[in-house]
Amino acid sequence: MSFSAVAGSLKNQLKDHLDLQSQPILVFGKDGQVGRSLQQLFKEFHLPVVFVGRAECDLADDTAIIQTLNHYQPKIIINASAYTAVDLAETEQAKAFQINATAVELMAKYIATVSKGVLVHYSTDYVFDGQQDAPYREEDKTNPLSVYGKSKLVGEQAIQQVFENSPVSTENVSLNARYYLLRTSWVYGDGKNFIRTMLGLANLREELRVIQDQRGCPTSSDWLAQIATQLIFSNTSSGIYHAVVDGATSWHGLALFAIETARLAGEGILVKSENIIPIPTTAYPLPAPRPQNSRMNNQKLKEALKEMPFSADYPHWEAQVERYVMNYVTEKLKS
Ligand SMILES: NC(=O)c1ccc[n+]([C@@H]2O[C@H](COP(=O)([O-])OP(=O)(O)OC[C@H]3O[C@@H](n4cnc5c(N)ncnc54)[C@H](OP(=O)(O)O)[C@@H]3O)[C@@H](O)[C@H]2O)c1
């Protein structure tokens, strides 16, 4: 059964629990990479869903957030918005904390205490310092290196505290509010991202120098949108989940893979593969420090997905990046 067909049948099963007609799903961050993927995905579902972006609700303004929540009275919130300008955050600390923590706390309070529904929120590998050798598990010690990472961590903690302090029913646990905090990494989709930057530069330059000593997992925004939807229509326990696909690579490995895939697909690539040169982080200093090891263990999410009736094969980053690059080249050749 296709993913959308299963989601459709789940939607019918859950109609009694989630009074979606009067209380819609509210998605913040409609114009971001994950937000756009959610817009695409929800087209298939025929669910009452409202997408808001900066123009409809500026998350720097608490009053606007509260007005938006009171206006739509959502049973479900997916927060795909974030202050994601990692380097700028070093000098715009207050703004980063407002959007990544204060705004998130208001959303959590609404879901946990008013609508008693479901909150899906995305977080980041940047909550870790990257000093551990093994892939990070959900319970591993956080120690963000950057302002962005710190602001995202405070957002995570706010959600956890709000839900821990809100009353729960032991008689009918299915009616309790739930939250899913999805930590992900190296996101790419319809927007500005590393893969698009590399493909653009590969057409312009004869040599590219790319960092080799940071490792992580490239993760598709389409997949992240699907995971959010699967969790909403499940009985999975609240908590943090490491939402990354299988495998890992370096920025250099990702650039090489994406560029060679584009070359095979017929894109006019200028740079030769031997001129895509691996460099250490120290050779490309940036305002915000990044974790060297961004790899996250995804076992907990895999176990949760296995319990769902519409569990699909768990993807590997290479297969997803290959599809993404092929689509990118096809679209470019058409235009
Ligand atoms: N991108 C990554 O590599 C990465 C890695 C790890 C985790 N994550 C997390 O994954 C989630 C989704 O990331 P993404 O790549 O989809 O992010 P994105 O493309 O940067 O989108 C973020 C969205 O948030 C919106 N936003 C920012 N400030 C706002 C404000 N004051 N009011 C209203 N909206 C505001 C932006 O609006 P505008 O379009 O108007 O600017 C943008 O549409 C985020 O939680 C992020 O922290 C991302």
Side-chain angles (χ1 to χ4, degrees):
M1 202 190 269
S2 75
F3 175 74
S4 56
V6 180
S9 77
L10 272 163
K11 179 190 126 188
N12 290 334
Q13 285 169 31
L14 288 168
K15 236 178 0 208
D16 297 338
H17 287 306
L18 307 169
D19 185 7
L20 287 171
Q21 291 311 325
S22 58
Q23 292 179 292
I25 300 170
L26 182 60
V27 180
F28 286 97
K30 77 174 168 72
D31 300 312
Q33 298 191 89
V34 175
R36 283 175 191 209
S37 292
L38 284 161
Q39 288 195 54
Q40 204 55 38
L41 186 65
F42 273 90
K43 272 187 199 160
E44 298 185 37
F45 289 165
H46 310 293
L47 285 167
V49 54
V50 178
F51 288 89
V52 293
R54 194 188 294 264
E56 295 81 20
C57 177
D58 184 352
L59 299 175
D61 179 354
D62 286 354
T63 310
I65 301 169
I66 292 165
Q67 278 173 354
T68 302
L69 294 172
N70 288 336
H71 178 72
Y72 292 111
Q73 301 185 5
K75 189 77 178 172
I76 296 170
I77 292 177
I78 305 177
N79 180 27
S81 73
Y83 181 104
T84 52
V86 176
D87 291 309
L88 199 57
E90 295 297 308
T91 47
E92 289 194 344
Q93 188 157 340
K95 212 167 158 186
F97 274 83
Q98 164 65 32
I99 291 149
N100 292 344
T102 310
V104 174
E105 184 173 6
L106 291 173
M107 295 175 202
K109 279 185 178 155
Y110 189 88
I111 291 295
T113 61
V114 182
S115 74
K116 303 208 185 301
V118 185
L119 171 67
V120 179
H121 174 74
Y122 295 96
S123 191
T124 171
D125 51 317
Y126 284 22
V127 297
F128 297 114
D129 62 17
Q131 293 304 302
Q132 176 174 301
D133 285 338
Y136 283 92
R137 291 181 174 275
E138 285 78 357
E139 62 279 13
D140 281 335
K141 190 179 168 299
T142 53
N143 183 28
L145 302 172
S146 61
V147 170
Y148 166 75
K150 285 176 189 152
S151 68
K152 293 292 287 185
L153 180 61
V154 175
E156 288 189 1
Q157 290 163 341
I159 293 175
Q160 289 171 302
Q161 274 160 21
V162 165
F163 275 80
E164 271 164 27
N165 294 333
S166 65
V168 289
S169 160
T170 45
E171 279 161 28
N172 192 348
V173 288
S174 69
L175 294 181
N176 283 330
R178 289 177 283 137
Y179 73 88
Y180 301 111
L181 223 158
L182 305 178
R183 284 190 190 135
T184 189
S185 66
W186 298 20
V187 177
Y188 59 90
D190 183 2
K192 199 169 162 247
N193 60 62
F194 175 83
I195 297 176
R196 284 195 178 177
T197 303
M198 287 299 126
L199 293 177
L201 291 175
N203 275 331
L204 299 171
R205 298 204 185 152
E206 288 183 0
E207 185 184 281
L208 289 177
R209 304 169 81 78
V210 193
I211 291 175
Q212 195 194 25
D213 55 358
Q214 289 172 28
R215 289 181 68 73
C217 182
T219 304
S220 139
S221 62
D222 284 354
W223 182 79
L224 287 168
Q226 281 192 14
I227 292 300
T229 316
Q230 280 176 276
L231 287 168
I232 287 168
F233 298 118
S234 76
N235 291 320
T236 306
S237 308
S238 288
I240 299 179
Y241 290 85
H242 283 178
V244 286
V245 296
D246 274 343
T249 186
S250 66
W251 291 115
H252 176 264
L254 176 56
L256 198 60
F257 183 84
I259 291 168
E260 292 315 314
T261 304
R263 201 192 310 274
L264 281 174
E267 171 77 331
I269 300 286
L270 179 65
V271 68
K272 291 193 179 128
S273 63
E274 60 268 31
N275 292 336
I276 304 171
I277 299 176
I279 57 165
T281 302
T282 47
Y284 190 69
L286 287 167
R290 270 76 170 160
Q292 269 205 316
N293 174 22
S294 271
R295 291 176 303 139
M296 292 190 283
N297 182 309
N298 56 21
Q299 204 52 39
K300 185 178 170 192
L301 180 64
K302 274 186 181 162
E303 293 302 322
L305 292 175
K306 270 190 210 154
E307 300 301 313
M308 296 181 199
F310 47 102
S311 173
D313 287 345
Y314 205 86
H316 190 278
W317 75 264
E318 285 187 356
Q320 293 206 323
V321 171
E322 188 174 2
R323 192 171 334 128
Y324 177 77
V325 173
M326 300 294 264
N327 286 340
Y328 171 92
V329 174
T330 309
E331 289 303 312
K332 224 180 135 196
L333 291 176
K334 263 197 251 164
S335 62

